[in-house]
Amino acid sequence: MNFQLEVDPTLSEDSTVYRIVDFFSAAQIVLNNKFMFSRADTFPDKNEGIDRLLTQLEVSGAGSCGGMGWTDRETAKKSHRLTQKSHYISCWSRACNSVAMWSLYSQDFASVRISTKITKLKALTGNIIDEYSFLRLREEDLNKSVVVCVEARIAPVDYKSLDVLSSRVQRRLKAFRRIKDRYLREGKELPKPGSIPPKYFERKKQRQIIKSLKMFSLKDNSFEHEKEVRIVVRLGEEPCDEELLALQGFIETEHPYHSLIKSDLALFGSVKNCNLQEKEFVNCPNDFIENIAIDPRCPAHKEDFMRNWFQDHGIKVVKSNCFGYIPDSFDVFPSK
């Protein structure tokens, strides 16, 4: 597995995930072996990636957000947008049969549900990592701003009330400021880290509000019906220099400094100067789609066309159990 890719341990290699797309998107995967990633700022949910701001706010100490890159509402929004523009995401679901998902993502009743395995998502993610690999950089890139993949992850989404989390984080920060102000009024200094008992830090960790430090892993619980598993690819931008090119020599796992690569790449900043496409089309495995299901509400003439098209291209077509009428499934009846 690519050293930059992390897969959540709750996901096994043969776990199945699903995605509802329009017919043409599915056909593109079949015909061209191309799969589309979307930049996070193009999603309708404006709070995508808000976990980064909430985490920074929680750990900001006195609340100055010094070194965080934002100090008020407007700079917070700017920082958030840069974070979104630096991530490509692909959304999947563990929900096999979901009326909510069909209703949301197949409003014309003519979309299809594709399924695949986690092992194939890993191969897909490896391809976008390779496309933005720092190994592609050459001497002609020196002194230019370059964009490289700094980390990637396949993991389930955690659903929480964002309003509640935001309120809790802000209340705690305000309480800290009141304590700090009281110390200042009394002419005292806040305790230094070395003088604080270790148990304080243990309790602080237990009381941590934002549990995950992984960006784009948190969504509002109003989306919980999606049961989402997502691929998150973070891109970073920095000037290319000799030190970055020298990192390429550390790629071999036998190299004594191989373990430093991930931490060094993680220090890359958001993409500010280079233009990233809103959509990135990435090579995917030939057998990427395990099977497809057609929206059960699809008009018969469209359903017949799509079923025949997919079957002609070697794709298995299965049935979704959503929207079914139970008496239609009866094959035994009361005696006369």
Side-chain angles (χ1 to χ4, degrees), residues 136-154:
R136 79 188 196 283
L137 302 179
R138 298 293 180 263
E139 288 190 1
E140 51 265 33
D141 295 309
L142 286 170
N143 303 316
K144 298 178 184 177
S145 286
V146 295
V147 174
V148 303
C149 176
V150 295
E151 59 182 331
R153 183 177 73 259
I154 304 173

Side-chain angles (χ1 to χ4, degrees), residues 110-180:
S111 292
V112 299
R113 186 199 70 205
I114 62 177
S115 70
T116 193
K117 302 287 189 185
I118 294 297
T119 185
K120 294 178 182 179
L121 288 190
K122 287 170 59 178
L124 174 69
T125 310
N127 288 339
I128 192 171
I129 291 173
D130 291 343
E131 189 167 329
Y132 285 95
S133 171
F134 75 104
L135 290 176
R136 79 188 196 283
L137 302 179
R138 298 293 180 263
E139 288 190 1
E140 51 265 33
D141 295 309
L142 286 170
N143 303 316
K144 298 178 184 177
S145 286
V146 295
V147 174
V148 303
C149 176
V150 295
E151 59 182 331
R153 183 177 73 259
I154 304 173
V157 165
D158 188 22
Y159 297 99
K160 303 289 183 184
S161 169
L162 296 183
D163 284 338
V164 170
L165 288 181
S166 177
S167 296
R168 289 180 61 196
V169 168
Q170 292 183 75
R171 284 200 305 270
R172 184 170 295 179
L173 201 50
K174 290 174 183 176
F176 180 89
R177 287 179 174 175
R178 289 194 295 271
I179 294 171
K180 181 182 178 182

Side-chain angles (χ1 to χ4, degrees), residues 77-89:
K77 292 178 181 178
K78 182 178 179 180
S79 177
H80 185 212
R81 286 193 293 269
L82 283 175
T83 297
Q84 291 179 327
K85 289 181 178 180
S86 301
H87 285 77
Y88 281 123
I89 293 178

Side-chain angles (χ1 to χ4, degrees), residues 65-99:
C65 287
M68 299 291 186
W70 54 283
T71 55
D72 55 32
R73 203 171 279 172
E74 285 307 309
T75 53
K77 292 178 181 178
K78 182 178 179 180
S79 177
H80 185 212
R81 286 193 293 269
L82 283 175
T83 297
Q84 291 179 327
K85 289 181 178 180
S86 301
H87 285 77
Y88 281 123
I89 293 178
S90 176
C91 305
W92 295 79
S93 175
R94 288 172 292 180
C96 178
N97 290 300
S98 169
V99 168

Side-chain angles (χ1 to χ4, degrees), residues 10-264:
T10 63
L11 300 173
S12 65
E13 293 275 320
D14 58 354
S15 295
T16 301
V17 288
Y18 307 89
R19 179 180 171 91
I20 296 176
V21 298
D22 62 85
F23 168 77
F24 298 101
S25 296
Q28 180 182 54
I29 298 172
V30 175
L31 294 178
N32 302 327
N33 293 325
K34 291 285 187 180
F35 186 86
M36 184 182 74
F37 282 79
S38 298
R39 216 173 58 193
D41 63 307
T42 65
F43 288 9
D45 180 11
K46 294 186 294 186
N47 287 315
E48 288 286 358
I50 200 66
D51 32 5
R52 179 174 184 266
L53 289 187
L54 292 176
T55 300
Q56 289 180 330
L57 198 58
E58 183 174 9
V59 302
S60 62
S64 66
C65 287
M68 299 291 186
W70 54 283
T71 55
D72 55 32
R73 203 171 279 172
E74 285 307 309
T75 53
K77 292 178 181 178
K78 182 178 179 180
S79 177
H80 185 212
R81 286 193 293 269
L82 283 175
T83 297
Q84 291 179 327
K85 289 181 178 180
S86 301
H87 285 77
Y88 281 123
I89 293 178
S90 176
C91 305
W92 295 79
S93 175
R94 288 172 292 180
C96 178
N97 290 300
S98 169
V99 168
M101 296 296 281
W102 280 119
S103 300
L104 283 169
Y105 297 108
S106 182
Q107 295 185 12
D108 62 354
F109 299 175
S111 292
V112 299
R113 186 199 70 205
I114 62 177
S115 70
T116 193
K117 302 287 189 185
I118 294 297
T119 185
K120 294 178 182 179
L121 288 190
K122 287 170 59 178
L124 174 69
T125 310
N127 288 339
I128 192 171
I129 291 173
D130 291 343
E131 189 167 329
Y132 285 95
S133 171
F134 75 104
L135 290 176
R136 79 188 196 283
L137 302 179
R138 298 293 180 263
E139 288 190 1
E140 51 265 33
D141 295 309
L142 286 170
N143 303 316
K144 298 178 184 177
S145 286
V146 295
V147 174
V148 303
C149 176
V150 295
E151 59 182 331
R153 183 177 73 259
I154 304 173
V157 165
D158 188 22
Y159 297 99
K160 303 289 183 184
S161 169
L162 296 183
D163 284 338
V164 170
L165 288 181
S166 177
S167 296
R168 289 180 61 196
V169 168
Q170 292 183 75
R171 284 200 305 270
R172 184 170 295 179
L173 201 50
K174 290 174 183 176
F176 180 89
R177 287 179 174 175
R178 289 194 295 271
I179 294 171
K180 181 182 178 182
D181 290 343
R182 189 184 70 194
Y183 268 75
L184 292 175
R185 288 195 303 269
E186 295 175 358
K188 300 177 182 178
E189 290 186 2
L190 288 172
K192 303 295 182 184
S195 63
I196 300 175
K199 286 187 177 181
Y200 167 82
F201 296 102
E202 293 175 12
R203 289 194 299 271
K204 185 177 179 181
K205 186 175 181 179
Q206 293 170 356
R207 294 173 63 242
Q208 188 173 325
I209 298 172
I210 309 300
K211 299 298 183 182
S212 175
L213 299 180
K214 303 294 185 181
M215 287 184 281
F216 294 88
S217 64
L218 180 66
K219 292 193 71 172
D220 189 75
N221 55 11
S222 58
F223 291 94
E224 198 162 4
H225 60 275
E226 295 183 345
K227 297 182 180 178
E228 187 178 342
V229 172
R230 57 173 37 180
I231 305 172
V232 180
V233 179
R234 183 166 85 86
L235 303 177
E237 179 185 306
E238 290 291 334
C240 182
D241 55 22
E242 295 286 356
E243 185 176 347
L244 178 58
L245 291 180
L247 272 181
Q248 296 177 339
F250 299 178
I251 191 67
E252 296 296 333
T253 54
E254 294 80 12
H255 196 287
Y257 299 125
H258 172 76
S259 60
L260 298 178
I261 297 179
K262 288 183 71 172
S263 56
D264 284 352

